[in-house]
Amino acid sequence: MRDHFAVHRWERDEPRLVLLAAPPATGDGAGVRGRVAAYQHLLAWTGPVMISPEWLRLTVAAIGWVRDITDAQYTRLLSELTAQLHGQTYPPLELGLAHLGHSAVSLNVQDVVPVVEWAVAAEAAARQVLGSSVEVFDWPRFGIAYARGMATRSDLLPRIVAANQSPELRDSVAVWPVERLLVAELCQDARRRAYRWTVRDTIPIATQHKAVGSVNVTPGVNARQTGISAE
């Protein structure tokens, strides 16, 4: 029998309050989006459902079901979470090669320490205000495509291996200095096998900026695409 994929179904058909990072459309996010576009072009076929640019994200933690959190609790939660993140400086994320998970194709997060620290902050805030733990993922994932039920490992893996070996992606990473985390209501559209969210609040964070040239960033057609100054 063929090994089919399916998007994990939530226990409840309603939004969840999550902490996530989404690359901006310009500036520091351009290199990330350029790398995603390159992979999506190489993987384009009838199997994976490509995640559109406006919904690209790295989910840090699922805090709880929106309906279970009162307005007063949310206000305290936001204050506590902001306090946990304030005063800390984080290294930029580096997104590398693609890998295949149970239900999605994702880019590897090279250094997971910043994401773990954000998740720890969310955990502390949730315990302080809600008296409960948050859901964090075994490994930070930056999804670029959802796997449809018809897509199989035998079909998809060779395409991912070939994409990872392409010269423009094999020896490069996309550097992403995350400067804000989003507290959002995440919705799952099981029929379309996709996720959407509505931002409730933005939490600024301090991130170290690597000097251009310190890493081999994703090449692109021009400086606008890669997010690198042409000067």
Side-chain angles (χ1 to χ4, degrees):
M1 180 178 293
R2 292 166 68 86
D3 181 17
H4 290 79
F5 298 103
V7 171
H8 171 66
R9 292 295 299 272
W10 290 353
E11 313 89 79
R12 293 159 63 171
D13 186 18
E14 58 184 272
R16 302 177 82 173
L17 188 69
V18 300
L19 183 67
L20 61 84
T26 58
D28 291 331
V32 175
R33 293 175 182 273
R35 188 172 185 85
V36 171
Y39 265 108
Q40 290 182 336
H41 175 73
L42 293 173
L43 296 176
W45 65 306
T46 57
V49 179
M50 301 304 172
I51 299 176
S52 58
E54 66 268 32
W55 302 118
L56 292 170
R57 76 191 188 284
L58 187 150
T59 304
V60 176
I63 298 171
W65 300 101
V66 171
R67 192 172 61 181
D68 294 343
I69 302 172
T70 67
D71 289 343
Q73 285 176 322
Y74 176 79
T75 299
R76 291 175 53 211
L77 182 72
L78 180 63
S79 177
E80 183 66 26
L81 183 53
T82 302
Q84 291 281 342
L85 296 168
H86 179 71
Q88 305 297 319
T89 303
Y90 304 95
L93 299 183
E94 296 181 5
L95 303 182
L97 300 178
H99 66 275
L100 178 62
H102 175 66
S103 61
V105 180
S106 304
L107 297 187
N108 181 45
V109 181
Q110 305 274 80
D111 180 3
V112 301
V113 171
V115 187
V116 170
E117 291 183 354
W118 301 336
V120 168
E123 175 78 30
R127 288 194 179 277
Q128 179 72 23
V129 177
L130 305 175
S132 62
S133 61
V134 304
E135 178 184 345
V136 296
F137 301 100
D138 293 336
W139 196 260
R141 294 169 289 185
F142 186 86
I144 63 173
Y146 302 121
R148 285 177 172 168
M150 69 182 71
T152 67
R153 291 185 182 275
S154 58
D155 293 332
L156 195 48
L157 273 175
R159 296 175 183 270
I160 295 175
V161 171
N164 284 340
Q165 293 176 345
S166 62
E168 69 271 27
L169 296 170
R170 181 184 57 216
D171 302 317
S172 66
V173 297
V175 178
W176 177 15
V178 179
E179 296 183 334
R180 60 191 58 83
L181 295 175
L182 307 179
V183 183
E185 295 184 8
L186 184 68
C187 298
Q188 183 185 65
D189 187 336
R191 183 177 64 84
R192 296 183 179 179
R193 300 181 184 273
Y195 296 85
R196 306 285 186 266
W197 67 83
T198 302
V199 177
R200 290 186 63 166
D201 283 285
T202 300
I203 302 176
I205 60 173
T207 306
Q208 304 162 359
H209 282 253
K210 277 192 176 179
V212 174
S214 60
V215 294
N216 181 18
V217 298
T218 302
V221 175
N222 52 40
R224 182 186 183 91
Q225 180 180 352
T226 61
I228 302 173
S229 172
E231 299 178 354

